Amino acid sequence: MKSLKLLIFSILLLIVSGLNAQNTAKYVFLFIGDGMGDNQIYATEIYKASLQGKMTPEPLVFSQFPVQSYAITTSADSWTTDSSASASAMATGNKVNNHEVGIDPVTGLNYKTLAEKAKEAGFKIGILSSVTIDHATPASFYAHEKSRGDYDKIALQIASSNFDFFGGGGVHSLGSIDDKNSVISSLTNNGYKYLTTAKEIENLKKGDTKIVAVNPGTYSGKEFYWEIDKNPKSISLAYFTKKSIEILDNDKGFFIMVEGGKIDWASHSNDLASAIHETIAFDNAIKEAIKFYNNNKNETLIIVTADHETGGLTLGSNVSKGLKLDLLQYQKVSAQEFERSLSQLKKLERKVSFEEVLDSVKLNFGLGDKEKGLELTKAEKKWLLEAYENEFVALKKINPDRDYLDHYSKKPLALRVVTILNTKAGIAWSTEGHTASKVPVKAIGVGEEYFKSTIDNTEINDIILKVMQISNKQ
Ligand SMILES: [Zn+2]
């Protein structure tokens, strides 16, 4: 009898531990599409379908995840969050103020992040972004700072995190104003390798640790080039994701955060074609995680979400003409690169005529091409002429190498061109900033059921820690 009881007890124990095992994920991916609301995703799906002449959207890989829900994004001090407050909420499980990174809004004390807790628990950690790794979203997983703009101070916290892999964009500067090399020396003093060539990145292998791998193809600000511009020097976010999986794969497990940072930047510029290409690149990175998931289904969780929506994107703003996203295929360059080509034209000795600028607009955006259905109206030409006179006659200086174009003042010529094309495609933007919309949350794998109803973005932290069986204590 005693042995029978013991047997039943053992069986029960096995069942219970089996159930627990079902809810335990050794490998967790958190993909954050910065500024990626429902309509940035849906526009990409309609665009892909339109190019094939289809009338049903062509779903991105993460749109096919079994769980599709939403997250509330309010910050501690605003209904409309910024990236640092939202990423900090996901990373720490606590609401923080806009522009602050991982600190208590009242006491100013640090909140420990889920990545820090996972590292302490023995998991390997990877932080990837297509913008700089000291930018607000990635920073929120390892740094604690009163102001997200204090890049020098944030970059110094990369080395002290002891995380295994940082990849994608670089850091804003390699040192502080006082010490031009302080970030690099902090990294090397703590055993990190700072890699900047394609060869070095390619040579990375399983088990390598304390790596900062920077895309050799970036702007001077160290963020990726625009996907739409297809710069041959650039390594894709998908490649960095694949490489991070290869390096971090181990029996204990890992946590990898991947940010598609420039969906937000394109949306701030109200440049839909560029946002669509960034979203496709982000989807390609997720495909790499799916490949890993397919081989490790019982131990992997993939979450895809956004920190906030940017731009208040509306699909179908033109009642009579409808939605024609296929017209965006004629945009061959990002607004930023177009503005750069204009600034090159401005440097010529001779006078650059308005007609010459219009030719370039036609070549790069199809605008003015009757056969493409993209004729310019008188009013549109007049609006472009005004910007031309501003930039080419009055010689107003516009710097295309800023984080993103000067979108809070009068639109420069490149952004006017993009606006005209977007309007003809039947889309509109309500703001050049963030909106307070809920953001999509999509999940597949162990613990996906925790995302079935609308959650607060802080719960992303709670759920990840729960499935990784890590204590949520500070
Ligand atoms: Zn953001």
Side-chain angles (χ1 to χ4, degrees):
M1 192 61 192
K2 218 175 180 184
S3 62
L4 182 68
K5 268 187 184 167
L6 200 66
L7 184 70
I8 293 168
F9 179 72
S10 306
I11 291 167
L12 279 175
L13 203 65
L14 272 174
I15 293 169
V16 169
S17 64
L19 283 175
N20 272 339
Q22 270 181 6
N23 275 317
T24 303
K26 273 162 56 173
Y27 310 104
V28 175
F29 294 88
L30 176 60
F31 284 89
I32 302 176
D34 203 309
M36 186 186 72
D38 265 336
N39 280 351
Q40 276 81 357
I41 299 167
Y42 196 42
T44 306
E45 296 174 339
I46 294 175
Y47 175 75
K48 287 181 84 177
S50 302
L51 293 190
Q52 301 169 50
K54 287 188 193 164
M55 279 304 291
T56 46
E58 186 73 17
L60 296 176
V61 71
F62 59 90
S63 291
Q64 301 167 60
F65 283 8
V67 174
Q68 306 269 327
S69 182
Y70 288 92
I72 291 160
T73 64
T74 57
S75 69
D77 62 346
S78 175
W79 286 101
T80 309
T81 189
D82 81 323
S83 299
S84 62
S86 184
S88 294
M90 291 188 257
T92 74
N94 294 282
K95 294 291 188 189
V96 317
N97 286 337
N98 281 1
H99 311 298
E100 298 183 359
V101 181
I103 58 169
D104 185 315
V106 179
T107 64
L109 294 173
N110 294 351
Y111 286 131
K112 199 179 264 190
T113 75
L114 73 93
E116 289 168 326
K117 289 174 187 170
K119 180 70 193 163
E120 277 173 17
F123 293 89
K124 294 204 173 190
I125 309 295
I127 304 292
L128 285 73
S129 178
S130 58
V131 297
T132 60
I133 53 167
D134 52 2
H135 216 265
T137 304
S140 298
F141 288 83
Y142 64 85
H144 307 273
E145 208 50 67
K146 180 80 182 153
S147 169
R148 58 179 279 182
D150 273 340
Y151 293 116
D152 294 348
K153 290 186 192 163
I154 289 171
L156 287 172
Q157 296 174 56
I158 295 170
S160 53
S161 73
N162 289 318
F163 290 177
D164 303 274
F165 182 73
F166 290 87
V171 290
H172 274 76
S173 69
L174 297 176
S176 61
I177 298 162
D178 313 326
D179 177 359
K180 294 263 177 285
N181 222 16
S182 56
V183 172
I184 289 295
S185 41
S186 76
L187 288 170
T188 43
N189 289 344
N190 198 18
Y192 275 88
K193 289 195 186 88
Y194 188 81
L195 311 178
T196 54
T197 69
K199 192 80 205 151
E200 287 171 315
I201 296 168
E202 192 193 330
N203 286 341
L204 287 169
K205 55 185 190 312
K206 185 172 177 166
D208 281 342
T209 185
K210 290 197 169 178
I211 303 292
V212 178
V214 183
N215 195 336
T218 65
Y219 282 111
S220 57
K222 294 295 169 196
E223 78 277 14
F224 282 25
Y225 289 122
W226 293 100
E227 195 63 27
I228 192 173
D229 295 325
K230 298 186 173 59
N231 189 302
K233 280 194 211 144
S234 201
I235 294 178
S236 67
L237 189 62
Y239 183 81
F240 274 101
T241 306
K242 183 180 148 192
K243 221 50 207 174
S244 73
I245 295 169
E246 191 184 321
I247 295 160
L248 301 174
D249 190 5
N250 75 102
D251 288 342
K252 171 71 187 173
F254 59 61
F255 168 75
I256 299 176
M257 191 290 296
V258 183
E259 183 202 23
K262 295 189 83 171
I263 302 166
D264 172 67
W265 293 22
S267 299
H268 273 295
S269 295
N270 290 177
D271 176 356
L272 184 57
S274 294
I276 284 174
H277 285 269
E278 294 302 320
T279 307
I280 293 170
F282 184 59
D283 193 47
N284 288 338
I286 295 162
K287 284 178 189 163
E288 294 298 330
I290 288 288
K291 283 182 204 163
F292 179 85
Y293 165 81
N294 285 336
N295 293 323
N296 300 276
K297 279 190 179 163
N298 297 329
E299 299 175 305
T300 307
L301 170 65
I302 306 174
I303 307 153
V304 180
T305 188
D307 50 352
H308 51 78
E309 193 272 348
T310 304
L313 177 58
T314 299
L315 305 178
S317 58
N318 189 324
V319 180
S320 59
K321 291 187 177 155
L323 189 62
K324 294 179 181 168
L325 295 192
D326 57 309
L327 293 177
L328 298 179
Q329 69 181 296
Y330 301 117
Q331 181 173 337
K332 302 297 180 198
V333 293
S334 60
Q336 184 173 3
E337 281 306 313
F338 188 60
E339 196 60 50
R340 183 192 305 283
S341 72
L342 294 179
S343 61
Q344 293 302 323
L345 268 183
K346 265 164 69 173
K347 284 184 191 149
L348 297 177
E349 295 276 307
R350 61 179 176 79
K351 187 176 180 290
V352 176
S353 68
F354 182 51
E355 283 65 37
E356 206 175 325
V357 170
L358 282 184
D359 282 347
S360 183
V361 168
K362 192 173 177 180
L363 189 73
N364 290 296
F365 296 84
L367 286 170
D369 190 330
K370 211 175 171 181
E371 283 173 23
K372 293 186 169 87
L374 287 172
E375 240 180 329
L376 286 167
T377 65
K378 256 190 189 161
E380 286 164 350
K381 268 191 192 161
K382 198 178 157 208
W383 199 46
L384 292 180
L385 181 64
E386 185 189 88
Y388 162 81
E389 282 175 346
N390 204 5
E391 290 170 41
F392 283 83
V393 183
L395 292 177
K396 182 178 179 280
K397 206 173 162 8
I398 288 165
N399 178 7
D401 281 337
R402 290 181 41 171
D403 265 5
Y404 29 86
L405 296 172
D406 193 4
H407 51 271
Y408 291 110
S409 61
K410 243 181 175 183
K411 276 185 192 288
L413 209 149
L415 291 187
R416 292 186 186 202
V417 170
V418 162
T419 301
I420 292 169
L421 181 64
N422 280 198
T423 308
K424 288 184 187 302
I427 74 103
W429 304 82
S430 64
T431 173
E432 290 165 338
H434 299 171
T435 65
S437 314
K438 287 179 200 167
V439 291
V441 180
K442 292 144 196 283
I444 188 169
V446 180
E448 65 184 34
E449 64 277 11
Y450 296 127
F451 296 94
K452 271 186 177 153
S453 53
T454 297
I455 54 170
D456 190 86
N457 58 1
T458 52
E459 290 176 66
I460 290 174
N461 163 84
D462 307 345
I463 297 167
I464 290 174
L465 290 175
K466 180 151 70 176
V467 298
M468 291 181 95
Q469 300 208 318
I470 299 168
S471 163
N472 197 3
K473 281 201 194 111
Q474 275 301 311

